[in-house]
Amino acid sequence: MAATRSEGTLKKWQHSVIRNGIMQYRENLTNYYIKNKAVVEVDLGSAFSLLSPPLGSAAARRRIRCIMDDMILNQEHVEGGQEVEWVSKTPHFTTIAVTYRCQCDCEHCSAYQYHQRVQREKSALTHEELKSLVHQAVDLGTTCLILSGGEPLLYDGIYELIAQVDPHQCVSTLFTNGEYLTPEVVKRLKDAGLFGAFVSLDHPDADRHDAHRHRPGIFARAVEGIKQCQDAGILTGISTYATQEKIDSGELDAMMELGKELGVLEVFVFDLIATGKLEDQPHCMLGSRGVEMIREFRRKYNQEYEYPRIIHQTMFTSIAYPCAAEGCPGGVAQMHIRGNGDVCPCDFTPLSFGNIREHSLAEVWQSIRDSEIYSQPSRGCRLADPRYRQILMAGSLADSRAATR
């Protein structure tokens, strides 16, 4: 991450950009997250999301400094009335697939091919490589490190990885299916410094959820795991996905009712993406009608105090960069590291821009930012856009052919 410019070296227009940018950033936080919703007091400050450092924390101030630097660095001058060029260089959200092992066999699994490839090539990242990645990501400016899988709790070194994250610079959040959130595991996670845990629930109905994951009883264990985390002081959220069927049937509304009943802080709604097991089913993705319905769904529940906050993947960019429109966070404010070290703009993007065994994480991040596809923000998911999808999938096929040579 570039060093923050000292106040004395800033030009008049840069002072103005910083002042206006901070005001807009705070306004966005209020509108998207804080207004009409509860804030939880934790050791670090006032927590409002599992994906953002608490208000008043050193990590939150660090994020603001990164955002302001991104808005002014490389801007030599600004003419009167001219907009500041949008420039991003910070992966505020870094996700790492620490393992692809999983006890479930989800019908929508996006990591299916990667799991097979890592097993075939015996290319899983070592513990030392994972530790190095944690430090490299934080050094780049990451203020929310997300550990995922597979099922990350099947990785024995998960506690040490969490402990590598300095809470004064970054918060650590886990995406888990929840089955292994026993009292003993939860205590170890808390002691290691885990900030939050998103538990995946595909359906609010236990039987449907268990059947979708081909794992009898996992719904009940996931719900119990949420309660264990809450008792230990770990922030909790539900991770789920949206389809047109779920929207039309009211199932997403039922998920919000469940979230309210369980007392989670946040519900993370992903659009279903045609990747992994669904790679050949692009029709499963939301069309323009579904996208607008999701936005209305978000607006509705984010105005109701008694319900959890909703975070949607397209909200990342506008929260991190107030001057950018809502849209795809991949390569803008987010990057993903696969279990073999390949670096991608997001968890669902099949195209790798480099491997950490051959390049530093900073070098690969820069290659994403310099690419034609990610040089400017996109209002929606690139994989939902046929133009982008064709390019991305072609690159993915090229990666696969190269890997088998």
Side-chain angles (χ1 to χ4, degrees), residues 3-22:
T4 304
R5 294 188 177 189
S6 65
E7 188 172 343
T9 65
L10 294 176
K11 300 175 183 178
K12 183 177 180 180
W13 69 266
Q14 291 173 324
H15 280 287
S16 177
V17 167
I18 291 174
R19 182 177 61 253
N20 294 338
I22 289 176

Side-chain angles (χ1 to χ4, degrees), residues 37-58:
K37 297 294 181 183
V39 174
V40 179
E41 296 302 322
V42 297
D43 292 341
L44 296 174
S46 302
F48 58 93
S49 169
L50 282 67
L51 298 167
S52 291
L55 297 171
S57 68

Side-chain angles (χ1 to χ4, degrees), residues 42-214:
V42 297
D43 292 341
L44 296 174
S46 302
F48 58 93
S49 169
L50 282 67
L51 298 167
S52 291
L55 297 171
S57 68
R61 293 192 293 271
R62 181 172 186 254
R63 177 176 287 187
I64 292 175
R65 286 196 299 271
C66 292
I67 291 169
M68 294 305 104
D69 274 351
D70 288 343
M71 293 176 69
I72 64 173
L73 289 178
N74 301 321
Q75 305 291 324
E76 295 304 322
H77 67 279
V78 174
E79 303 296 338
Q82 180 181 338
E83 291 289 336
V84 176
E85 182 184 354
W86 180 81
V87 178
S88 165
K89 292 185 182 299
T90 302
H92 294 281
F93 313 93
T94 297
T95 60
I96 305 176
V98 299
T99 181
Y100 286 130
R101 293 174 57 206
C102 188
Q103 76 277 31
C104 297
D105 184 22
C106 302
E107 295 180 9
H108 68 298
C109 179
S110 61
Y112 180 70
Q113 284 95 336
Y114 307 137
H115 185 194
Q116 290 184 318
R117 177 175 174 179
V118 168
Q119 283 188 314
R120 182 177 66 250
E121 299 176 353
K122 296 181 174 56
S123 57
L125 292 169
T126 67
H127 187 63
E128 290 305 313
E129 287 173 328
L130 287 167
K131 285 170 59 178
S132 174
L133 280 172
V134 169
H135 292 288
Q136 288 185 63
V138 174
D139 286 347
L140 274 172
T142 293
T143 45
C144 181
L145 186 77
I146 302 166
L147 303 176
S148 65
E151 171 48 53
L153 292 180
L154 287 174
Y155 179 64
D156 293 336
I158 190 69
Y159 309 103
E160 187 179 2
L161 289 182
I162 294 169
Q164 300 298 308
V165 181
D166 180 354
H168 298 294
Q169 297 189 77
C170 179
V171 296
S172 56
T173 293
L174 193 74
F175 274 78
T176 173
N177 59 46
E179 180 170 3
Y180 300 122
L181 289 173
T182 63
E184 296 77 17
V185 167
V186 169
K187 182 181 185 305
R188 292 186 68 184
L189 291 171
K190 178 64 176 178
D191 290 345
L194 185 69
F195 179 66
F198 278 108
V199 176
S200 298
L201 293 176
D202 305 324
H203 302 280
D205 176 78
D207 290 340
R208 288 192 66 192
H209 177 77
D210 292 357
H212 187 84
R213 297 205 159 222
H214 297 273

Side-chain angles (χ1 to χ4, degrees), residues 249-275:
S249 69
E251 185 174 326
L252 285 184
D253 297 276
M255 187 65 77
M256 295 304 297
E257 294 292 341
L258 177 61
K260 180 175 72 170
E261 177 185 332
L262 294 176
V264 300
L265 184 65
E266 200 164 31
V267 174
F268 198 144
V269 179
F270 290 92
D271 295 347
L272 192 62
I273 305 296
T275 189

